[in-house]
Amino acid sequence: MLVRKALLTDAANVCDLVNALAPDGTLIHRSFAEVCENIRDFTVALSDGGVFLGCGALHFYGPHLCEVRSIAVMPAAKSHGAGSRILAALIAEAEEHGIQSVCLFTRIPDYFFKFGFRIVEDKTELPDKIFKDCQSCPRLHRCDEVAMVRGRIPRVSILGPREEAEQLVRISG
């Protein structure tokens, strides 16, 4: 199995896989243009024969925080280590950039514990994520995801003050 940074030629596979998991709310629907625009955030796994197995993205908020997004594996590749290898590569990329805090939002927190993630009880402790992404999420008022972080929770916010993040979370219920 090969795990590498995604290329623009991977965009169709990434888009198809992410959107296959959007109808049930596992992932958020992304347009092909949006995937192309953000393809450099993605890492992909390929079989030894070059078959696309899965993807994941690392989104940077600043030098203090990044987020693992869109971790997905093709149904036929589940339980073969592709997801774990992608996640390990994304964590290594965050470390390479010197980022000490990696967050994610998920419905399956148990999977991420073995990678050193822990639950963040109060989502407002991640104001950059809330300020930038949550307010435009289609599930804003019915979020059922668990916030998790690996490393320390950042003491700074560059996209919006903590007070605004707290207000957004209160509004969303």
Side-chain angles (χ1 to χ4, degrees):
M1 180 182 318
L2 170 67
V3 175
R4 62 161 171 76
K5 288 299 290 176
L7 303 172
L8 194 53
T9 54
D10 297 310
N13 285 328
V14 168
C15 190
D16 289 348
L17 179 57
V18 167
N19 289 337
L21 297 171
D24 71 354
T26 300
L27 295 178
I28 295 173
H29 183 273
R30 304 288 183 198
S31 69
F32 181 67
E34 186 178 4
V35 172
C36 289
E37 181 180 319
N38 294 291
I39 198 68
R40 289 174 290 193
D41 288 354
F42 282 89
T43 293
V44 296
L46 306 172
S47 71
D48 292 336
V51 175
F52 177 80
L53 301 176
C55 64
L58 190 67
H59 178 77
F60 296 96
Y61 292 102
H64 63 296
L65 179 67
C66 62
E67 179 187 14
V68 169
R69 295 180 171 182
S70 303
I71 290 272
V73 176
M74 299 293 288
K78 289 194 185 283
S79 301
H80 290 88
S84 295
R85 301 254 323 259
I86 292 166
L87 182 56
L90 296 173
I91 291 169
E93 182 180 355
E95 291 171 352
E96 181 179 316
H97 283 273
I99 299 175
Q100 302 295 313
S101 302
V102 180
C103 72
L104 58 85
F105 281 54
T106 184
R107 289 194 190 119
I108 52 169
D110 290 345
Y111 176 79
F112 296 98
F113 288 136
K114 64 185 172 190
F115 294 94
F117 286 88
R118 68 185 185 289
I119 293 175
V120 177
E121 296 295 335
D122 182 359
K123 293 176 183 174
T124 64
E125 292 191 78
L126 300 168
D128 287 314
K129 164 67 177 166
I130 292 168
F131 188 78
K132 182 171 185 302
D133 299 315
C134 294
Q135 62 188 344
S136 62
C137 178
R139 293 190 305 247
L140 173 63
H141 299 293
R142 60 188 188 289
C143 181
D144 60 352
E145 293 185 314
V146 174
M148 300 186 81
V149 69
R150 183 177 192 275
R152 59 177 175 70
I153 293 175
R155 296 261 185 244
V156 299
S157 170
I158 63 173
L159 297 177
R162 290 186 185 278
E163 296 80 32
E164 288 183 39
E166 290 169 3
Q167 288 174 347
L168 282 170
V169 168
R170 276 196 297 276
I171 290 169
S172 69

